[in-house]
Amino acid sequence: MTVTLTHYLFLAMTLFTIGVIGVLTRRNILIILMSVELMLNSANLTLVAFSHYLADATGMIFVLFTMTVAAAEVGVGLAIVVTIFRNRETIDVGKMELLKH
Amino acid sequence: MQTFMFYLLAVVAVASAIMVITRRQPVYSVLYLVLTFFCVAAFYVMLGAQFLAAIQIIVYAGAIMVLFLFVVMMLNLREPEEMEGRTVWPAFGAIVGVGLGLVLLAYLFGGEGRLPMVQDYTQSYALGRPDSMGRSLFTEFVLPFEIAGVLLLAAVVGAVALAKRDRG
Protein backbone atom coordinates (compact mmCIF):
# COMPACT_ATOMS: atom_id res chain seq x y z
CA MET A 1 0.00 0.00 0.00
CA THR A 2 1.50 3.31 -1.05
CA VAL A 3 0.67 6.84 0.01
CA THR A 4 -1.86 8.30 -2.41
CA LEU A 5 -3.21 11.75 -3.11
CA THR A 6 -6.26 10.93 -0.98
CA HIS A 7 -4.07 10.52 2.12
CA TYR A 8 -2.66 14.01 1.67
CA LEU A 9 -6.08 15.52 0.98
CA PHE A 10 -7.52 14.08 4.18
CA LEU A 11 -4.50 15.22 6.20
CA ALA A 12 -4.76 18.74 4.77
CA MET A 13 -8.49 18.75 5.47
CA THR A 14 -7.85 17.79 9.10
CA LEU A 15 -5.25 20.52 9.57
CA PHE A 16 -7.52 23.09 7.88
CA THR A 17 -10.42 22.14 10.16
CA ILE A 18 -8.24 22.47 13.25
CA GLY A 19 -7.27 25.94 12.01
CA VAL A 20 -10.92 26.91 11.46
CA ILE A 21 -11.85 25.72 14.95
CA GLY A 22 -8.92 27.69 16.36
CA VAL A 23 -10.01 30.89 14.63
CA LEU A 24 -13.61 30.47 15.78
CA THR A 25 -12.99 29.45 19.38
CA ARG A 26 -9.96 31.36 20.67
CA ARG A 27 -10.01 34.97 21.84
CA ASN A 28 -6.27 35.60 21.94
CA ILE A 29 -5.49 37.41 18.68
CA LEU A 30 -2.01 35.88 18.46
CA ILE A 31 -3.43 32.34 18.52
CA ILE A 32 -6.02 33.37 15.92
CA LEU A 33 -3.17 34.52 13.63
CA MET A 34 -1.36 31.22 14.25
CA SER A 35 -4.50 29.30 13.28
CA VAL A 36 -4.62 31.28 10.05
CA GLU A 37 -1.01 30.20 9.40
CA LEU A 38 -2.10 26.61 10.01
CA MET A 39 -4.84 26.92 7.40
CA LEU A 40 -2.42 28.48 4.89
CA ASN A 41 -0.05 25.56 5.46
CA SER A 42 -2.75 22.97 4.86
CA ALA A 43 -3.64 24.72 1.60
CA ASN A 44 0.06 24.67 0.66
CA LEU A 45 0.23 20.95 1.41
CA THR A 46 -2.72 20.35 -0.92
CA LEU A 47 -1.05 22.36 -3.69
CA VAL A 48 2.24 20.46 -3.36
CA ALA A 49 0.44 17.10 -3.27
CA PHE A 50 -1.51 17.85 -6.45
CA SER A 51 1.66 19.17 -8.06
CA HIS A 52 3.46 15.89 -7.28
CA TYR A 53 0.67 13.56 -8.38
CA LEU A 54 0.05 15.52 -11.60
CA ALA A 55 3.78 15.97 -12.39
CA ASP A 56 3.18 19.70 -12.92
CA ALA A 57 5.33 22.41 -11.30
CA THR A 58 2.61 25.08 -11.17
CA GLY A 59 1.40 24.09 -7.70
CA MET A 60 4.89 24.24 -6.22
CA ILE A 61 5.50 27.69 -7.72
CA PHE A 62 2.16 28.81 -6.33
CA VAL A 63 3.21 27.69 -2.84
CA LEU A 64 6.13 30.13 -3.03
CA PHE A 65 3.71 32.99 -3.67
CA THR A 66 1.44 31.79 -0.85
CA MET A 67 4.42 31.92 1.50
CA THR A 68 5.17 35.47 0.32
CA VAL A 69 1.62 36.56 1.06
CA ALA A 70 1.74 34.79 4.45
CA ALA A 71 4.94 36.59 5.39
CA ALA A 72 3.45 39.95 4.40
CA GLU A 73 0.24 39.15 6.31
CA VAL A 74 2.12 38.21 9.48
CA GLY A 75 4.31 41.32 9.30
CA VAL A 76 1.40 43.72 8.99
CA GLY A 77 -0.86 41.70 11.31
CA LEU A 78 1.64 41.63 14.16
CA ALA A 79 2.32 45.35 13.70
CA ILE A 80 -1.43 45.95 14.13
CA VAL A 81 -1.46 43.70 17.23
CA VAL A 82 1.39 45.68 18.78
CA THR A 83 -0.37 48.98 17.99
CA ILE A 84 -3.64 47.75 19.56
CA PHE A 85 -1.79 46.51 22.63
CA ARG A 86 -0.12 49.91 23.08
CA ASN A 87 -3.47 51.69 22.98
CA ARG A 88 -5.70 49.20 24.81
CA GLU A 89 -3.43 46.98 26.94
CA THR A 90 -5.29 43.88 25.69
CA ILE A 91 -5.08 41.31 22.91
CA ASP A 92 -8.47 39.74 23.65
CA VAL A 93 -10.65 40.07 20.52
CA GLY A 94 -13.75 40.12 22.75
CA LYS A 95 -12.56 43.45 24.19
CA MET A 96 -11.80 45.10 20.84
CA GLU A 97 -15.31 46.21 20.00
CA LEU A 98 -14.68 49.94 19.49
CA LEU A 99 -13.12 51.50 16.43
CA LYS A 100 -11.75 54.47 18.39
CA HIS A 101 -10.21 54.42 21.81
CA MET B 1 8.20 2.30 4.94
CA GLN B 2 6.86 5.39 3.20
CA THR B 3 3.36 4.64 4.46
CA PHE B 4 4.64 4.21 8.01
CA MET B 5 6.49 7.54 7.83
CA PHE B 6 3.38 9.23 6.46
CA TYR B 7 1.19 8.04 9.30
CA LEU B 8 3.81 8.83 11.94
CA LEU B 9 4.28 12.37 10.64
CA ALA B 10 0.53 12.83 10.19
CA VAL B 11 -0.16 11.88 13.81
CA VAL B 12 2.55 14.26 15.05
CA ALA B 13 1.31 17.07 12.79
CA VAL B 14 -2.34 16.73 13.81
CA ALA B 15 -1.53 16.31 17.51
CA SER B 16 0.70 19.37 17.61
CA ALA B 17 -1.88 21.35 15.60
CA ILE B 18 -4.47 20.48 18.25
CA MET B 19 -1.99 21.55 20.93
CA VAL B 20 -1.59 24.91 19.13
CA ILE B 21 -5.26 25.79 19.53
CA THR B 22 -5.72 24.41 23.04
CA ARG B 23 -2.77 25.90 24.96
CA ARG B 24 -3.56 28.88 27.16
CA GLN B 25 -0.08 30.41 26.98
CA PRO B 26 0.75 31.69 23.47
CA VAL B 27 4.44 30.69 23.88
CA TYR B 28 3.52 26.99 23.91
CA SER B 29 1.28 27.52 20.88
CA VAL B 30 4.20 29.04 18.98
CA LEU B 31 6.48 26.11 19.81
CA TYR B 32 3.88 23.50 18.82
CA LEU B 33 3.23 25.40 15.60
CA VAL B 34 6.96 25.17 14.81
CA LEU B 35 6.67 21.39 15.27
CA THR B 36 3.70 21.31 12.87
CA PHE B 37 5.67 23.28 10.29
CA PHE B 38 8.58 20.84 10.54
CA CYS B 39 6.14 17.97 9.88
CA VAL B 40 4.77 19.81 6.84
CA ALA B 41 8.35 20.30 5.62
CA ALA B 42 8.88 16.54 5.96
CA PHE B 43 5.76 15.96 3.85
CA TYR B 44 7.22 18.28 1.21
CA VAL B 45 10.36 16.12 1.14
CA MET B 46 8.22 13.00 0.73
CA LEU B 47 6.43 14.71 -2.17
CA GLY B 48 9.71 15.53 -3.89
CA ALA B 49 9.63 19.28 -3.16
CA GLN B 50 13.02 19.60 -1.47
CA PHE B 51 13.42 23.30 -2.23
CA LEU B 52 10.02 24.10 -0.75
CA ALA B 53 10.88 22.06 2.34
CA ALA B 54 14.01 24.17 2.86
CA ILE B 55 12.01 27.37 2.29
CA GLN B 56 9.34 26.15 4.71
CA ILE B 57 11.89 25.72 7.47
CA ILE B 58 13.81 28.92 6.71
CA VAL B 59 10.83 31.22 6.16
CA TYR B 60 8.11 29.74 8.38
CA ALA B 61 9.97 28.13 11.25
CA GLY B 62 12.91 30.52 11.04
CA ALA B 63 11.39 33.92 10.29
CA ILE B 64 7.63 33.99 10.82
CA MET B 65 7.56 31.99 14.04
CA VAL B 66 10.49 33.94 15.48
CA LEU B 67 8.49 37.09 14.74
CA PHE B 68 5.53 35.57 16.62
CA LEU B 69 7.74 34.59 19.54
CA PHE B 70 9.24 38.08 19.59
CA VAL B 71 5.80 39.72 19.75
CA VAL B 72 4.55 37.25 22.42
CA MET B 73 7.50 38.04 24.63
CA MET B 74 7.41 41.77 23.90
CA LEU B 75 3.75 42.12 24.87
CA ASN B 76 4.46 40.69 28.35
CA LEU B 77 0.95 39.40 29.07
CA ARG B 78 0.23 38.82 32.71
CA GLU B 79 -3.07 36.98 32.90
CA PRO B 80 -3.89 34.12 30.51
CA GLU B 81 -6.93 34.40 28.30
CA GLU B 82 -10.34 33.59 29.75
CA MET B 83 -11.72 30.41 28.23
CA GLU B 84 -15.42 30.57 29.17
CA GLY B 85 -18.27 31.96 27.13
CA ARG B 86 -17.44 30.18 23.88
CA THR B 87 -19.82 27.26 23.60
CA VAL B 88 -21.50 28.07 20.27
CA TRP B 89 -18.48 28.53 18.03
CA PRO B 90 -16.78 25.10 18.48
CA ALA B 91 -19.98 23.54 17.14
CA PHE B 92 -19.76 25.81 14.12
CA GLY B 93 -16.14 24.78 13.55
CA ALA B 94 -17.11 21.13 13.74
CA ILE B 95 -19.89 21.76 11.20
CA VAL B 96 -17.35 23.35 8.83
CA GLY B 97 -15.03 20.35 9.25
CA VAL B 98 -17.73 17.75 8.68
CA GLY B 99 -18.94 19.70 5.65
CA LEU B 100 -15.44 19.76 4.15
CA GLY B 101 -15.11 16.02 4.77
CA LEU B 102 -18.47 15.31 3.13
CA VAL B 103 -17.52 17.36 0.05
CA LEU B 104 -14.24 15.46 -0.27
CA LEU B 105 -15.93 12.08 0.24
CA ALA B 106 -18.61 12.92 -2.32
CA TYR B 107 -15.90 13.88 -4.79
CA LEU B 108 -13.83 10.75 -4.17
CA PHE B 109 -16.66 8.24 -4.31
CA GLY B 110 -19.06 10.10 -6.57
CA GLY B 111 -18.31 8.11 -9.75
CA GLU B 112 -17.37 10.93 -12.11
CA GLY B 113 -14.62 12.52 -10.08
CA ARG B 114 -11.58 10.27 -10.39
CA LEU B 115 -8.58 11.91 -8.80
CA PRO B 116 -6.00 12.73 -11.45
CA MET B 117 -2.73 10.82 -11.27
CA VAL B 118 0.23 10.09 -13.47
CA GLN B 119 1.72 6.62 -13.64
CA ASP B 120 5.40 7.48 -13.51
CA TYR B 121 6.71 9.66 -10.71
CA THR B 122 10.32 10.11 -11.87
CA GLN B 123 9.33 13.41 -13.47
CA SER B 124 7.53 14.46 -10.30
CA TYR B 125 10.66 14.05 -8.20
CA ALA B 126 12.62 16.24 -10.63
CA LEU B 127 10.10 19.11 -10.32
CA GLY B 128 10.98 20.24 -6.81
CA ARG B 129 14.70 20.64 -7.38
CA PRO B 130 15.95 24.25 -7.05
CA ASP B 131 17.18 24.47 -10.65
CA SER B 132 13.89 23.45 -12.26
CA MET B 133 11.86 25.62 -9.86
CA GLY B 134 14.11 28.60 -10.53
CA ARG B 135 13.84 28.09 -14.26
CA SER B 136 10.05 28.16 -14.28
CA LEU B 137 9.99 31.01 -11.72
CA PHE B 138 12.09 33.26 -13.94
CA THR B 139 10.52 32.36 -17.30
CA GLU B 140 6.87 31.44 -17.06
CA PHE B 141 6.05 33.08 -13.70
CA VAL B 142 8.27 36.15 -13.84
CA LEU B 143 5.38 38.67 -13.66
CA PRO B 144 3.85 37.14 -10.49
CA PHE B 145 7.37 37.03 -9.06
CA GLU B 146 7.81 40.78 -9.54
CA ILE B 147 4.33 41.47 -8.14
CA ALA B 148 5.24 39.40 -5.05
CA GLY B 149 8.28 41.63 -4.60
CA VAL B 150 6.10 44.75 -4.74
CA LEU B 151 3.72 43.15 -2.21
CA LEU B 152 6.58 42.53 0.21
CA LEU B 153 7.72 46.13 -0.17
CA ALA B 154 4.19 47.33 0.60
CA ALA B 155 4.10 45.06 3.68
CA VAL B 156 7.41 46.44 4.95
CA VAL B 157 6.25 50.03 4.47
CA GLY B 158 2.90 49.25 6.13
CA ALA B 159 4.49 47.55 9.13
CA VAL B 160 6.92 50.42 9.70
CA ALA B 161 4.14 52.99 9.33
CA LEU B 162 1.93 51.14 11.85
CA ALA B 163 4.71 50.66 14.36
CA LYS B 164 5.81 54.31 14.29
CA ARG B 165 2.39 55.90 14.32
CA ASP B 166 1.90 56.99 17.92
CA ARG B 167 5.23 58.78 18.10
CA GLY B 168 4.76 61.29 15.29
Side-chain angles (χ1 to χ4, degrees):
Chain A
M1 178 180 168
T2 56
V3 182
T4 60
L5 180 56
T6 316
H7 288 81
Y8 284 104
L9 290 183
F10 272 102
L11 174 68
M13 184 190 75
T14 312
L15 289 177
F16 191 88
T17 311
I18 292 171
V20 169
I21 293 173
V23 168
L24 292 176
T25 56
R26 295 306 299 260
R27 286 161 62 182
N28 187 330
I29 195 165
L30 289 169
I31 294 180
I32 290 176
L33 277 174
M34 282 185 240
S35 304
V36 171
E37 293 302 308
L38 202 59
M39 289 196 275
L40 280 168
N41 259 273
S42 75
N44 282 353
L45 187 60
T46 314
L47 284 169
V48 175
F50 269 107
S51 186
H52 178 259
Y53 286 103
L54 285 171
D56 185 350
T58 311
M60 292 183 188
I61 300 289
F62 209 88
V63 168
L64 279 178
F65 295 126
T66 317
M67 284 180 182
T68 313
V69 173
E73 174 238 327
V74 166
V76 176
L78 287 178
I80 292 172
V81 171
V82 171
T83 312
I84 290 174
F85 185 77
R86 269 190 204 146
N87 291 330
R88 299 273 178 84
E89 297 283 311
T90 184
I91 53 166
D92 188 334
V93 289
K95 292 176 185 154
M96 296 176 192
E97 70 269 81
L98 296 174
L99 281 175
K100 57 181 285 190
H101 63 279
Chain B
M1 185 61 195
Q2 204 189 6
T3 315
F4 173 73
M5 283 305 292
F6 176 85
Y7 281 114
L8 183 70
L9 286 168
V11 166
V12 174
V14 171
S16 55
I18 290 173
M19 294 297 265
V20 169
I21 66 163
T22 52
R23 294 304 90 187
R24 295 186 73 183
Q25 295 285 348
V27 179
Y28 295 125
S29 292
V30 172
L31 296 178
Y32 280 112
L33 194 55
V34 170
L35 184 59
T36 313
F37 286 166
F38 271 100
C39 291
V40 174
F43 285 125
Y44 288 172
V45 172
M46 284 172 68
L47 288 166
Q50 302 93 343
F51 180 67
L52 281 181
I55 292 293
Q56 169 90 6
I57 289 174
I58 294 168
V59 172
Y60 265 114
I64 293 181
M65 296 326 289
V66 169
L67 193 62
F68 264 107
L69 208 53
F70 187 71
V71 170
V72 167
M73 296 191 171
M74 198 177 77
L75 292 187
N76 190 19
L77 299 168
R78 279 167 202 86
E79 74 277 20
E81 165 194 12
E82 296 169 25
M83 301 291 270
E84 65 265 17
R86 50 178 188 85
T87 48
V88 178
W89 299 110
F92 187 67
I95 289 168
V96 171
V98 171
L100 268 173
L102 285 179
V103 167
L104 194 52
L105 282 175
Y107 181 73
L108 289 178
F109 301 111
E112 195 78 30
R114 283 274 147 267
L115 281 179
M117 290 217 198
V118 293
Q119 298 300 319
D120 183 20
Y121 291 123
T122 50
Q123 201 198 343
S124 296
Y125 284 111
L127 284 178
R129 292 207 320 257
D131 55 343
S132 65
M133 284 201 71
R135 195 168 294 120
S136 55
L137 196 59
F138 282 102
T139 54
E140 195 182 350
F141 296 96
V142 67
L143 181 64
F145 181 74
E146 298 292 339
I147 293 172
V150 175
L151 177 74
L152 281 176
L153 178 67
V156 169
V157 172
V160 170
L162 279 169
K164 277 178 73 89
R165 190 168 55 185
D166 61 346
R167 218 168 293 155

